């Protein structure tokens, strides 16, 4: 845990005008070389955090440190960072080449060096043939690549990305997702990536910072955030579909008194087949099937129970027909949350 | 499939035909309204004096009197006035670039204290007619010894509220993200204006320059007030002086002078028209 922090946010508060602050007293450390994803629903303040790191937004209070040094008085252009915007923000009147070169020229990089770097980065993102084109004559995916190339060519210490994939179609999105992981592996620099899509966060991040209403809900590695969600919000945000969380009463008195909510992952439950033998440590929930989605290797069932709708995800080949069924969940797989919504642990005792 | 796309003559609706015909008739009428004065000016410039006074007027000339044109040059100092006109117009354009572009950028992109009030005052100046302020301006200039200098013709229109307003609207359309990207690319404000804003606003800039060019080039009032000597007198004043002859007005000579006056405007418009059309249909870059 003695890795160096590349970016540190110290007691950050951000308020727009006289409105109540959108972010209050936020502390966050981003490790050098990590692929940190700021994740959360829209309006949670994740983009604001990114923009404050970039220097595009001033902090109302608190300090942003890069390499341990406050950047309060450092202009965005001098922070040794590069940003990829949601709408790419390519300069429309410049060719692809000029777009990539613009920052280098302003950084007073020599001409030979510029040419070498542009050639290298164009090769890397596969834009060599398009260098003389204008952004208007490129497809969405190609524009995205230009935006990436423009960032990479500056060789920044930190890459900031603000929902860069949200304007692409699903197929391209998965493709560029892998490209970004590759890029991070290759460059080994710090990436800070903003998204509202937990799939993007889980697949790309080495660290996930899950935010809600301006506060950090959990900061952990993807595996950990999945395995032990810190609270109900995290549990309900991560996973596709996310964890089923129901009131503790649904456990029929098996939950201790301090537990207010219980939950289980859809993939840790299954629908009971006729004649199936169930072990002792299983809890059964009655439910009526509302919808069935066959996705090839897996099937998702949406079930209506007396405590609300829950999802069940199975990796079995046999499809189950619509109608009344029982959902089986192992007691050890049940997460318990206390009155404040915090996770207190997994597993319930059989009476 | 192709047969379905082909229109047989019978399927063309008569209403459509009438509409098309009406549209063309209307277009032709509008075109004529704009064309006839130019034609009238030209045809008069190659008539004899007798023909210009004929009733009913003639619209055709069998023997064009081209010598009317050299005649203009003998009556007024066309070359000198052309030079003055060029200096004043170019000077005004340069001054407007220097004042209008930064002002439009500031009003479009910065929310500084009093920006709204300042912008309101700027717009309000559009409502003050030149005839109202020419006297104080004249007195001021004469106090400073600037009457009969180019400055007295350039400075009154060294900035333009209308141009600031138009350019501000165009600058406002540019997405904030683009400017942020430029800032992260270490571009200063002037570089942002020069490399990003102006290229995007090119149609507007060309149109504004064109409008300024026309209004300054054709301006008769200010040069008439601010100049008393021929040395700085501009072309419109010179051409107008053709009226002041003892033997009555030579319409043919005067119209020849007007043709000379209008040609530069037509040339400029010819080269700028593509940009002007763009400026009025421009909706921003997606």
């Amino acid at each position: 845990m003695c890795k160096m922090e590349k970016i540190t946010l110290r007691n950050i508060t951000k308020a727009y005008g006289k409105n109540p602050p959108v972010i209050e007293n936020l502390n966050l450390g981003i490790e050098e070389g990590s692929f940190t994803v700021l994740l959360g629903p829209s309006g949670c303040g994740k983009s604001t955090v990114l923009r404050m790191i970039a220097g595009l937004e001033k902090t109302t209070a608190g300090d942003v440190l890069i390499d341990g040094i406050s950047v309060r008085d450092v202009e965005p252009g001098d922070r040794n960072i590069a940003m990829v915007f949601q709408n790419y923000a390519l300069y429309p009147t410049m060719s692809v080449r000029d777009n990539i070169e613009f920052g280098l020229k302003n950084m007073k990089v020599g001409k030979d060096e510029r040419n070498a770097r542009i050639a290298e980065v164009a090769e890397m993102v596969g834009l060599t043939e398009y260098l003389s084109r204008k952004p208007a004559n490129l497809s969405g995916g190609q524009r995205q690549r230009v935006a990436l190339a423009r960032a990479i060519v500056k060789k920044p210490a930190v890459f900031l990305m603000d929902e860069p994939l949200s304007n692409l179609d699903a197929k391209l999105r998965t493709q560029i997702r892998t490209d970004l992981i590759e890029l991070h592996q290759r460059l080994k620099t710090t990436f800070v990536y903003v998204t509202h899509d937990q799939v993007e966060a889980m697949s790309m991040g080495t660290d996930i910072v899950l935010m809600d209403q301006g506060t950090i809900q959990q900061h952990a590695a993807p595996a950990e955030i999945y395995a032990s969600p810190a609270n109900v919000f995290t549990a309900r945000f991560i996973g596709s579909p996310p964890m089923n969380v129901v009131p503790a009463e649904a456990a029929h008195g098996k939950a201790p008194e301090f537990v207010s909510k219980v939950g289980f992952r859809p993939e840790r439950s299954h629908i009971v087949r006729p004649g199936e033998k169930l072990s002792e440590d299983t809890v059964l929930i009655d439910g009526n099937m509302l919808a069935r989605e066959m996705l090839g290797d897996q099937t998702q069932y949406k079930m209506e129970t007396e405590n609300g709708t829950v999802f069940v995800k199975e990796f079995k080949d046999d499809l189950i027909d619509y109608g009344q069924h029982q959902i089986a969940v192992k007691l050890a797989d049940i997460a318990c949350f206390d009155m404040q919504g915090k996770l207190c642990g997994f597993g319930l005792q059989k009476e | 499939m192709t047969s379905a796309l082909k229109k047989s003559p019978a399927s063309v609706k008569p209403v459509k035909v009438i509409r098309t015909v009406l549209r063309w008739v209307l277009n032709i009428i509008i075109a004529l309204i704009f064309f006839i004065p130019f034609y009238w000016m030209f045809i008069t410039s190659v008539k004899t004096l007798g023909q210009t006074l004929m009733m009913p007027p003639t619209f055709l000339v069998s023997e064009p009197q081209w010598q009317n044109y050299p005649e203009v040059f003998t009556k007024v100092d066309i070359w000198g006035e052309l030079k003055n006109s060029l200096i004043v117009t170019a000077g005004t354009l340069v001054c407007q670039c220097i004042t209008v572009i930064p002002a439009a950028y500031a009003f479009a992109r910065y929310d500084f204290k009093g920006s709204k009030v300042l912008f309101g005052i700027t717009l309000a100046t559009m409502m003050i007619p030149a005839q109202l302020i020419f006297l104080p301006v004249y007195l001021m200039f004469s106090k400073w010894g600037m009457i009969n200098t180019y400055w007295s013709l350039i400075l009154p229109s060294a900035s333009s509220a209308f141009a600031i307003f138009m350019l501000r609207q165009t600058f406002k359309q540019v997405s904030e993200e683009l400017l942020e990207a430029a800032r992260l690319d270490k571009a200063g404000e002037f570089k942002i204006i020069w490399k990003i804003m102006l290229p995007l606003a090119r149609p507007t800039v060309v149109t504004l320059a064109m409008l300024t060019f026309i209004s300054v080039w054709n301006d008769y009032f200010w040069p008439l007030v601010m100049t008393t000597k021929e040395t700085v007198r501009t072309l419109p004043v010179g051409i107008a002086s053709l009226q002041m002859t003892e033997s009555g007005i030579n319409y043919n000579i005067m119209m020849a002078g007007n043709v000379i006056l209008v040609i530069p405007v037509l040339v400029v418009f010819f080269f700028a028209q593509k940009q002007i059309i763009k400026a009025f249909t421009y909706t921003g870059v997606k």
Side-chain angles (χ1 to χ4, degrees):
Chain A
M1 273 279 127
C2 55
K3 260 195 171 176
M4 212 185 122
E5 274 182 8
K6 183 73 194 171
I7 300 163
T8 314
L9 304 187
R10 204 175 274 167
N11 306 323
I12 293 284
T13 298
K14 175 71 191 176
Y16 291 97
K18 290 198 172 78
N19 300 318
V22 286
I23 291 166
E24 211 168 357
N25 210 14
L26 180 120
N27 286 287
L28 174 64
I30 293 168
E31 266 175 31
E32 169 118 52
S34 70
F35 194 133
T36 300
V37 180
L38 303 180
L39 176 68
S42 59
C44 73
K46 57 195 190 300
S47 280
T48 311
V49 168
L50 192 80
R51 292 167 58 79
M52 286 191 291
I53 296 172
L56 297 172
E57 206 92 59
K58 287 220 166 1
T59 56
T60 310
D63 227 349
V64 177
L65 294 89
I66 296 179
D67 289 325
I69 299 158
S70 168
V71 290
R72 179 185 293 275
D73 301 316
V74 183
E75 289 290 314
D78 297 322
R79 293 190 179 192
N80 199 13
I81 51 174
M83 190 155 165
V84 179
F85 292 87
Q86 185 174 359
N87 300 315
Y88 320 135
L90 302 180
Y91 313 125
T93 52
M94 297 186 200
S95 67
V96 170
R97 189 197 169 79
D98 293 341
N99 260 285
I100 301 173
E101 201 174 17
F102 189 63
L104 294 183
K105 271 187 178 164
N106 295 336
M107 283 157 72
K108 307 254 182 320
V109 177
K111 194 168 184 206
D112 294 337
E113 166 89 18
R114 287 205 306 262
N115 288 338
R117 280 209 213 170
I118 292 167
E120 188 194 337
V121 79
E123 177 72 38
M124 195 183 205
V125 298
L127 279 172
T128 313
E129 306 154 55
Y130 304 102
L131 282 177
S132 56
R133 285 215 200 164
K134 288 273 171 67
N137 302 324
L138 296 176
S139 70
Q142 287 164 338
R143 284 180 208 180
Q144 179 60 63
R145 283 164 196 281
V146 178
L148 272 178
R150 193 171 65 176
I152 298 166
V153 83
K154 292 200 281 184
K155 300 195 174 162
V158 180
F159 281 91
L160 305 176
M161 303 192 184
D162 192 359
E163 310 218 12
L165 305 185
S166 54
N167 283 352
L168 300 175
D169 62 61
K171 200 173 171 189
L172 214 50
R173 201 149 50 206
T174 30
Q175 188 196 324
I176 294 191
R177 212 162 70 196
T178 350
D179 291 350
L180 283 177
I181 299 170
E182 260 183 71
L183 186 71
H184 178 246
Q185 287 301 319
R186 192 164 158 180
L187 300 174
K188 304 275 184 215
T189 47
T190 313
F191 280 46
V192 185
Y193 187 105
V194 163
T195 183
H196 62 265
D197 182 356
Q198 60 95 19
V199 178
E200 276 180 26
M202 294 294 279
S203 58
M204 290 193 286
T206 60
D207 291 84
I208 293 177
V209 180
L210 184 59
M211 291 181 66
D212 185 39
Q213 294 176 353
T215 56
I216 295 174
Q217 301 294 321
Q218 191 167 8
H219 181 182
E224 194 189 334
I225 218 167
Y226 173 79
S228 56
N231 51 41
V232 173
F233 177 81
T234 312
R236 279 186 168 153
F237 204 87
I238 301 287
S240 57
M243 186 181 276
N244 299 306
V245 181
V246 291
E249 297 86 67
H252 304 298
K254 285 173 197 146
E257 238 174 57
F258 60 89
V259 172
S260 80
K261 285 195 170 89
V262 293
F264 62 93
R265 293 258 174 225
E267 51 271 37
R268 293 301 182 99
S269 63
H270 70 273
I271 289 170
V272 181
R273 268 59 175 177
E276 184 183 337
K277 269 198 173 170
L278 293 163
S279 55
E280 280 277 288
D281 56 348
T282 309
V283 80
L284 292 172
I285 308 160
D286 290 319
N288 177 35
M289 194 187 295
L290 294 175
R292 186 180 72 190
E293 291 174 55
M294 228 296 286
L295 303 172
D297 62 331
Q298 50 179 275
T299 312
Q300 278 178 25
Y301 301 98
K302 187 180 178 186
M303 311 291 287
E304 190 181 30
T305 71
E306 57 178 0
N307 291 300
T309 52
V310 298
F311 286 93
V312 175
K313 189 157 144 187
E314 288 187 351
F315 295 90
K316 292 174 184 163
D317 287 335
D318 58 327
L319 283 181
I320 295 185
D321 289 327
Y322 283 91
Q324 283 291 332
H325 294 282
Q326 280 190 310
I327 305 162
V329 189
K330 285 220 166 73
L331 284 172
D333 288 332
I334 290 176
C336 303
F337 300 94
D338 67 12
M339 300 295 177
Q340 281 78 42
K342 282 214 177 71
L343 181 78
C344 16
F346 277 88
L348 287 177
Q349 292 292 314
K350 186 98 181 168
E351 286 159 80
Chain B
M1 282 305 281
T2 47
S3 63
L5 293 171
K6 270 185 198 161
K7 269 185 192 161
S8 62
S11 72
V12 179
K13 285 180 188 155
V15 181
K16 228 178 180 180
V17 175
I18 291 168
R19 215 181 265 168
T20 312
V21 169
L22 274 178
R23 203 172 58 219
W24 275 101
V25 168
L26 198 72
N27 284 348
I28 288 166
I29 290 172
I30 292 170
L32 280 178
I33 288 172
F34 282 90
F35 178 72
I36 284 173
F38 280 97
Y39 179 73
W40 185 244
M41 174 175 75
F42 174 74
I43 207 74
T44 310
S45 76
V46 290
K47 284 177 181 174
T48 62
L49 184 59
Q51 282 170 325
T52 64
L53 301 169
M54 244 157 56
M55 257 314 158
T58 51
F59 277 87
L60 289 169
V61 170
S62 50
E63 289 166 29
Q65 308 290 310
W66 296 113
Q67 74 276 10
N68 288 346
Y69 283 83
E71 180 108 26
V72 178
F73 284 79
T74 64
K75 293 209 165 158
V76 288
D77 178 16
I78 291 284
W79 293 116
E81 282 160 1
L82 197 65
K83 187 195 78 187
N84 293 340
S85 273
L86 280 175
I87 289 173
V88 170
T89 311
T92 307
L93 281 172
V94 170
C95 284
Q96 286 206 359
C97 281
I98 294 170
T99 58
V100 167
I101 293 167
Y105 182 72
F107 282 133
R109 287 294 163 182
Y110 286 96
D111 204 18
F112 51 92
K113 240 185 193 160
S115 64
K116 283 202 180 108
V117 175
L118 270 179
F119 188 59
I121 293 172
T122 308
L123 288 187
T125 61
M126 282 202 287
M127 292 170 218
I128 304 171
Q131 285 76 2
L132 200 73
I133 54 163
F134 85 94
L135 208 57
V137 171
Y138 179 83
L139 292 174
M140 188 172 76
F141 279 170
S142 77
K143 217 183 218 171
W144 294 345
M146 280 166 70
I147 301 300
N148 284 325
T149 64
Y150 291 128
W151 289 116
S152 65
L153 300 178
I154 294 171
L155 284 181
S157 48
S159 188
S160 156
F162 175 71
I164 290 173
F165 172 73
M166 284 290 285
L167 202 55
R168 170 185 175 266
Q169 297 311 106
T170 312
F171 281 170
K172 263 187 170 302
Q173 286 178 15
V174 178
S175 85
E176 186 63 31
E177 241 183 19
L178 214 54
L179 300 196
E180 288 174 349
R183 280 194 194 113
L184 284 165
D185 270 348
K186 215 167 152 39
E189 294 300 312
F190 277 101
K191 196 155 228 173
I192 289 175
I193 294 177
W194 189 246
K195 288 279 187 181
I196 291 160
M197 290 306 228
L198 282 182
L200 278 172
R202 211 177 104 165
T204 311
V205 172
V206 170
T207 307
L208 289 172
M210 178 79 203
L211 292 174
T212 302
F213 176 85
I214 292 173
S215 78
V216 176
W217 187 263
N218 289 343
D219 190 23
Y220 174 71
F221 183 70
W222 280 105
L224 189 69
V225 172
M226 295 298 169
T227 62
T228 53
K229 289 183 196 153
E230 272 186 20
T231 48
V232 290
R233 211 162 67 175
T234 56
L235 209 47
V237 182
I239 300 296
S241 72
L242 286 170
Q243 294 183 59
M244 298 161 200
T245 51
E246 286 149 23
S247 55
I249 303 169
N250 290 331
Y251 288 108
N252 49 352
I253 308 294
M254 229 187 94
M255 286 305 162
N258 276 328
V259 171
I260 295 169
L261 179 69
V262 160
I263 282 172
V265 178
L266 291 179
V267 170
V268 170
F269 183 78
F270 179 79
F271 285 107
Q273 60 175 336
K274 227 184 186 175
Q275 300 286 337
I276 291 169
I277 291 163
K278 243 192 202 167
F280 288 105
T281 53
Y282 187 71
T283 51
V285 179
K286 296 270 154 64

